Amino acid sequence: MSPQTFAEMSEAEFDTLLDDYIEREAASYGEVPAEIFFDLLLERSAAKTRQPLHLEVTVVDDHLVITPDREMGDVIVRGNEVLVGERRLVFQLAGAAQM
Amino acid sequence: MTTPSIQIQLPASFGPDRERVVIGYLAGRLYGRDAWAKAFEAFDLLDQAVLVTARGYYTFRTLYQQVVDRLMADAYLGELLTLRDVEQQSPALWSRFARRIISEFTQRGWRRSDVPEARLLLSYLLYWWGAFARGYAFEVEVFRDLRNSGVQFQAHNLLDRQQRYSPSDLAVSGMAGDVKTSIYFVQAAAPLEHDFYIMRLVARGRTHMLAVLLKPAAWDIIDGDTVLGHLDTIVDQLPAPVRIRHRGQELVVVDYDEWKRRILRLQGEAQ
């Protein structure tokens, strides 16, 4: 863990942090150590299964754009489509309804 | 001319310790399980962080989609597929786009010394860009290697957005699989619904290794004995197929080259 927060970091220190990050990632694989990978994967996949996935729907140039509140490997959301397994759900904007 | 005001709203549970762990990730100073677990949790929480500008409220997740994915993903993948040696050349491509993200962030007026929390947004964009770009580079590496090895498989077309977001990355002998880097795999963790996952890990802090994680039913199709393993020893037990039981799940982990050898044998028998 870093001893500093961003508020305690100068612009130059922040630039150095970013430069070093990019250099290091470009020179390595940036992977999770195998020794802890499986435990974290199984722990998080079980926990995330129980969490709801919230979808934000906006209208951009008369098209629906759906944005999930997080990335989730088994639910794919792009544009106005949601893929759950082999099922593709396509959402379309309906006209205004009068009740 | 006055600088337009921006504000960052962080989730209530995102405190200074979470911020320090994000910085620790950028600085390459995550040591041990707890540090990594906290980093994944911190980036989970940042999904819900919000940038407030005069034009509206935008979650970090939405900004990643709008500023990075929509503007850079196709261009990156187009260049990625032209590389002769993806393993050697893709890091430079990744870093060029990472620097472009930093420029874009600055040009949009989000780099503000009076709003240090905005640095979390840039950290978030770079983190997810790394997951995306490194993930697809690894996928291209694997597809090319499978082709060169003679493994028969069907893969989605990365340049076709519709196909790119298909439920699985590839199918081998009727089995659906994904190719994943370990960070993306854990960060976007979901129920393990595919038959197999090809992944890259780092063992003992430095040596990278390719492995395949399979459901037992998929391993039964390939056939073969396994040794019972434990998380602490799995790296040493590979390349032998290792069966692990952990957190209520049973999985088989096998060295990637060993998996290919067995798939080639299976496909040879089927012809």
Side-chain angles (χ1 to χ4, degrees), chain B residues 4 33 43 47 79 132 138 147 159 164 188 195 216 221 225:
Chain B
R33 185 198 182 284
F43 283 107
D47 282 335
E79 286 197 52
F132 172 90
F138 180 45
R147 207 165 286 128
L159 293 181
R164 191 158 87 222
D195 298 304
I221 295 170
D225 293 334

Side-chain angles (χ1 to χ4, degrees), chain B residues 37 81 89 92-93 108 117 119 132 139 153 157 174 198 209 229 244 269:
Chain B
L81 291 173
Q89 296 172 290
L93 182 63
R108 286 173 182 255
E117 301 87 357
R119 292 169 172 176
F132 172 90
E139 193 171 308
F153 68 103
N157 178 359
I198 300 172
M209 52 185 275
I244 53 171
E269 287 169 357

Side-chain angles (χ1 to χ4, degrees), chain A residues 41-71:
Chain A
L41 175 71
L42 295 179
E43 179 184 70
R44 285 174 57 86
S45 65
K48 292 234 175 177
T49 305
R50 294 189 291 270
Q51 292 175 0
L53 181 67
H54 296 276
L55 304 175
E56 184 181 281
V57 183
T58 50
V59 180
V60 179
D61 299 331
D62 288 339
H63 296 289
L64 283 185
V65 177
I66 304 169
T67 308
D69 65 349
R70 61 193 155 97
E71 188 85 359

